[in-house]
Amino acid sequence: MPAGGRIPEGGCLGEANRRLAEGGPSVGETLLYDMALQAGHQAEQDPRVQAGFRAWSTCMAGKGFVYADPWQANDDPRWSTDRPSDVERRTAVADVVCKDSTGLVTIWQAAMVEHQRRTIASRSADIERYEQAKSTRLANGRQVLATM
């Protein structure tokens, strides 16, 4: 039982998080992840990437595999086995060949970088607050460890 006989809100983890965050700005722990995810979704909706997906899909169809985009191939439920099947291997080879021949990876990466940069520029204040919160948590953690 903790000192004083009462359990702090959120238990010991809640208390530790409050002590670490004390004095810093409040930010969501998943801010950077959420921003990266958002930029990724925006990149996938980019007209250049959508055109790349269509070219990739056409290439895959020419090899006997029907998928609208690489995620459908990646997430095909037939691949939920312990060992890859021959069709899974052939699909993977076709995927790489079609990504290469269509330039999809280069197109997708360029769009991703562009959308990440836009996100960073538009959310710079949030990123700064996140950095301040992280610095505060590290300083508070060092202080707690120094007293042990």
Side-chain angles (χ1 to χ4, degrees):
M1 172 119 339
R6 70 173 192 78
I7 298 174
E9 184 179 335
C12 295
L13 180 59
E15 179 68 20
N17 281 325
R18 283 188 295 281
R19 285 186 70 186
L20 289 174
E22 188 174 21
S26 177
V27 295
E29 292 182 18
T30 62
L31 175 71
L32 300 182
Y33 173 79
D34 294 343
M35 288 171 57
L37 199 59
Q38 177 187 11
H41 289 309
Q42 290 169 340
E44 287 182 21
Q45 297 310 309
D46 186 290
R48 296 166 294 178
V49 175
Q50 287 294 306
F53 283 175
R54 286 189 298 276
W56 174 91
S57 180
T58 299
C59 177
M60 289 292 285
K63 297 183 179 316
F65 305 102
V66 179
Y67 296 106
D69 60 51
W71 293 119
Q72 281 188 350
N74 182 75
D75 299 339
D76 191 321
R78 294 179 296 167
W79 315 153
S80 298
T81 60
D82 291 339
R83 300 178 69 95
S85 65
D86 288 339
V87 70
E88 184 176 2
R89 286 186 184 96
R90 287 194 311 274
T91 304
V93 169
D95 173 44
V96 171
V97 168
C98 290
K99 282 177 178 167
D100 186 49
S101 69
T102 62
L104 178 58
V105 173
T106 301
I107 294 165
W108 201 346
Q109 185 209 12
M112 179 69 84
V113 167
E114 185 178 311
H115 287 280
Q116 287 173 342
R117 286 184 175 151
R118 285 183 192 164
T119 300
I120 290 166
S122 69
R123 304 281 307 270
S124 61
D126 292 331
I127 294 168
E128 178 62 32
R129 266 196 342 274
Y130 186 90
E131 179 60 32
Q132 290 169 354
K134 183 180 105 177
S135 294
T136 298
R137 290 177 71 84
L138 287 170
N140 288 346
R142 287 185 188 102
Q143 194 173 39
V144 167
L145 291 173
T147 63
M148 297 182 100

